[in-house]
Amino acid sequence: MNDPRGLDAELEALLRRHSMRLRAAVERHCRRSAVLDPDDIAQEVRIRLWRALERDRNAEFSASYLQRTVLSVVIDTVRRAPPPAESVEGAQSAGFEALPEPLVQREGPEADTGAQAIAKVLDAALQGLPQQRRLAVQFTLQGFAAKECGELLGVSDEAARKLAARGLALIREYLRQRGYGEFDD
């Protein structure tokens, strides 16, 4: 029989370890959506992670697994939501079936321009790193665990973790020097 308190502790540790990444993913998908409530999405993600831990207490949940879980919850929520009545009537009168609200919302040219500027600075910081360190950072930012990075790079888990940590430290310093603020280490 499973120990619910032990399962609670494992879930809380998992959520603490990935809290910022999970919250950012939930917020990104729920932004400007009448259908998606960030708190509801976060709760459903917790439930799915609880069930996954219940099935396999020894599983290692990588950041990429958690990102896929968030996206899966968002997609399921959008599919279950009825389309707004006015869009159904307008689309049907024009001869189209009603489509669900898109998952990605554009915020206008100002947001795109700001994001492009930050992307250019980050790209410059990445390009300044040695190749293996750059790849370790890119894999880490994509949500791969140290073990997965190590396999992809052909190095040990520990070496991959150190490559990524040193690369991220250099990127933080690069950004600090260009006025992008302080970062948590």
Side-chain angles (χ1 to χ4, degrees):
M1 179 174 197
N2 285 337
D3 174 23
R5 286 180 297 205
L7 194 58
D8 282 341
E10 286 181 51
L11 179 63
E12 289 306 317
L14 176 67
L15 292 172
R16 254 192 323 276
R17 197 168 50 247
H18 296 285
S19 64
M20 290 177 59
R21 181 176 287 122
L22 283 171
R23 196 63 182 162
V26 169
E27 292 294 332
R28 183 175 55 250
H29 291 298
C30 295
R31 187 181 15 221
R32 295 178 49 182
S33 171
V35 175
L36 302 173
D37 177 26
D39 293 330
D40 290 345
I41 299 297
Q43 182 63 27
E44 182 62 28
V45 168
R46 285 179 68 92
I47 291 168
R48 290 192 187 186
L49 292 174
W50 169 275
R51 289 179 183 151
L53 276 170
E54 199 172 40
R55 281 190 306 272
D56 186 2
R57 297 286 292 265
N58 297 321
E60 289 186 32
F61 295 101
S62 65
S64 59
Y65 176 84
L66 298 174
Q67 297 263 354
R68 287 190 308 267
T69 302
V70 170
L71 186 57
S72 176
V73 169
V74 167
I75 290 170
D76 290 348
T77 303
V78 169
R79 285 181 179 158
R80 283 192 306 265
E86 63 277 358
S87 68
V88 172
E89 293 166 5
Q92 287 174 341
S93 67
F96 299 105
E97 291 186 29
L99 300 174
E101 182 176 338
L103 293 178
V104 178
Q105 297 287 334
R106 296 279 182 206
E107 292 187 29
E110 297 85 15
D112 288 344
T113 303
Q116 288 173 358
I118 291 169
K120 284 181 182 178
V121 171
L122 283 173
D123 189 49
L126 275 168
Q127 295 308 316
L129 297 175
Q131 181 180 3
Q132 198 164 21
R133 193 172 286 177
R134 181 177 64 245
L135 291 172
V137 168
Q138 287 174 317
F139 290 141
T140 300
L141 293 176
Q142 291 173 20
F144 289 95
K147 182 178 181 180
E148 297 166 316
C149 289
E151 290 171 4
L152 291 167
L153 294 171
V155 299
S156 70
D157 303 358
E158 185 64 17
R161 187 189 63 72
K162 286 180 181 178
L163 284 167
R166 289 176 184 147
L168 288 169
L170 288 171
I171 289 174
R172 281 192 294 273
E173 184 57 34
Y174 183 90
L175 293 173
R176 272 189 205 106
Q177 291 174 357
R178 280 147 186 81
Y180 283 92
E182 296 298 316
F183 300 93
D184 295 334
D185 290 331

